[in-house]
């Protein structure tokens, strides 16, 4: 079932349960071409993607990240920031590769390129009636183990993984922040931002209470701060250094 652009973008849900049926090859090719056509900084295409269909490899990823989507989906797409390819190209042409990946901007460029590619894949997959779930935990759970499992060379690091498959569920749409908190006019901010954010916090609490699966009394603010506290323990700078991103300035 092909969806309209409006349905694709506004009715997107994170799907974590999938049917066993395969994805049509035409749909996979469309996803691949959407990824390949992603706009990137300088047209440098500072990203690459690993497409994983092998069930054993998916189960190894699931064992590391404890995310069931890895083994239940039909395909995993792993989105990478990649300065290895341009390094190989420069060497082949006898040119010196500047250590751009060691700058904050280089880190941002590769990350943004990979994130844009993932959004291209999501839009393409959703438009064909497939379900998707980004898995950011693949980046932080054990960077060294996952890098070894996927054979990542220096200059390449994992930004995010994406599970794709024929959906077995249609989760409730999660409330997003109101437009005035997301899109500002002419300059940053909006009047009474704190009150509006507290209103959204209550909206999320009511959503959690009313959802069909795993209802809870958790809010948005407390949940996010909990995620940030956990994230303070991730040693991502060390992981980036091991991948050849010695960010200095």
């Amino acid at each position: 079932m092909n969806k309209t652009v409006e349905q694709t973008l506004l009715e997107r849900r994170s799907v974590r349960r999938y049917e066993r049926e395969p994805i049509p090859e035409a749909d996979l090719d469309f996803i691949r071409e959407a990824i390949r056509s992603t706009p990137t900084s300088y047209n440098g295409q500072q990203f690459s993607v690993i497409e994983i269909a092998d069930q054993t490899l998916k189960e190894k990823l699931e064992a590391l990240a404890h995310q069931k989507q890895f083994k239940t989906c039909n395909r995993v797409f792993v989105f990478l920031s990649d300065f290895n390819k341009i390094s190989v190209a420069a060497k082949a042409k006898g040119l010196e590769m500047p250590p751009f990946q060691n700058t904050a901007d280089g880190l941002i460029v590769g990350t943004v390129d990979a994130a844009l590619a993932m959004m291209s894949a999501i839009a393409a997959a959703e438009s064909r009636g497939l379900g998707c779930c980004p898995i950011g935990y693949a980046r932080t759970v054990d960077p060294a183990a996952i890098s070894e499992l996927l054979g990542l060379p220096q200059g390449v690091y994992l930004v995010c993984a994406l599970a794709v498959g024929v959906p077995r569920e249609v989760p409730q749409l999660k409330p997003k922040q109101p437009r005035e908190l997301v899109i500002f006019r002419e300059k940053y901010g909006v009047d009474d931002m704190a009150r509006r954010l507290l209103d959204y916090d209550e909206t999320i609490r009511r959503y959690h209470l009313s959802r069909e699966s795993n209802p809870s009394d958790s809010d948005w603010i407390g949940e996010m701060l909990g995620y940030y506290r956990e994230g303070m323990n991730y040693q991502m700078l060390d992981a980036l250094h091991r991948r050849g991103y010695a960010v200095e300035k």
Side-chain angles (χ1 to χ4, degrees), residues 101-102 104 107 139-140 143 231-249:
Q101 72 273 18
N102 294 344
L107 178 64
R139 176 182 64 256
T140 56
M232 296 289 290
N233 297 318
Y234 300 149
Q235 302 298 314
M236 288 307 300
L237 193 59
D238 290 342
L240 285 166
H241 286 171
R242 289 195 296 271
R243 302 265 26 93
Y245 288 74
V247 181
E248 299 171 350
K249 60 181 179 179

Side-chain angles (χ1 to χ4, degrees), residues 70-121:
F70 274 124
K71 68 177 181 180
T72 60
C73 70
N74 182 268
R75 284 290 194 283
V76 174
F77 291 89
V78 179
F79 293 84
L80 310 166
S81 170
D82 188 346
F83 284 95
N84 177 64
K85 289 187 292 186
I86 187 64
S87 297
V88 170
K91 183 177 180 180
K93 206 168 184 179
L95 300 174
E96 182 179 355
M97 170 70 182
F100 180 55
Q101 72 273 18
N102 294 344
T103 68
D105 193 46
L107 178 64
I108 291 168
V109 161
T111 303
V112 169
D113 282 3
L116 287 171
M118 186 174 72
M119 195 61 225
S120 295

Side-chain angles (χ1 to χ4, degrees), residues 162-181:
L162 181 70
V164 181
V166 177
R168 182 179 288 185
E169 62 179 359
V170 183
Q172 294 169 267
L173 275 175
K174 191 172 291 185
K176 300 297 185 182
Q177 292 179 11
R179 188 181 301 177
E180 60 269 19
L181 282 174

Side-chain angles (χ1 to χ4, degrees), residues 67-224:
Q67 300 286 312
K68 63 183 179 183
Q69 309 92 288
F70 274 124
K71 68 177 181 180
T72 60
C73 70
N74 182 268
R75 284 290 194 283
V76 174
F77 291 89
V78 179
F79 293 84
L80 310 166
S81 170
D82 188 346
F83 284 95
N84 177 64
K85 289 187 292 186
I86 187 64
S87 297
V88 170
K91 183 177 180 180
K93 206 168 184 179
L95 300 174
E96 182 179 355
M97 170 70 182
F100 180 55
Q101 72 273 18
N102 294 344
T103 68
D105 193 46
L107 178 64
I108 291 168
V109 161
T111 303
V112 169
D113 282 3
L116 287 171
M118 186 174 72
M119 195 61 225
S120 295
I122 291 172
E126 293 274 347
S127 75
R128 295 296 176 95
L130 299 169
C132 300
C133 184
I135 308 174
Y137 198 42
R139 176 182 64 256
T140 56
V141 63
D142 192 336
I146 289 183
S147 295
E148 182 178 357
L149 185 64
L150 299 179
L152 304 187
Q154 289 287 289
V156 177
Y157 87 92
L158 191 154
V159 174
C160 198
L162 181 70
V164 181
V166 177
R168 182 179 288 185
E169 62 179 359
V170 183
Q172 294 169 267
L173 275 175
K174 191 172 291 185
K176 300 297 185 182
Q177 292 179 11
R179 188 181 301 177
E180 60 269 19
L181 282 174
V182 179
I183 303 171
F184 303 135
R185 301 270 183 165
E186 314 306 340
K187 63 179 182 179
Y188 181 89
V190 64
D191 292 340
D192 203 7
M193 179 182 281
R195 180 190 62 78
R196 293 170 188 261
L197 288 167
L198 290 173
D199 287 346
Y200 177 67
D201 186 65
E202 177 61 19
T203 297
I204 289 292
R205 190 187 71 82
R206 291 198 301 268
Y207 161 78
H208 285 154
L209 280 171
S210 66
R211 66 185 177 184
E212 297 167 359
S213 63
N214 301 319
S216 72
D217 192 35
S218 60
D219 60 6
W220 175 69
I221 298 170
E223 191 171 59
M224 292 311 305

Side-chain angles (χ1 to χ4, degrees), residues 6-23:
E6 184 173 347
Q7 289 173 317
T8 297
L9 296 179
L10 303 187
E11 297 179 9
R12 192 212 65 79
R13 298 161 166 84
S14 287
V15 172
R16 293 174 173 82
R17 297 176 67 235
Y18 301 92
E19 302 289 356
R20 292 184 179 274
E21 65 185 275
I23 299 173

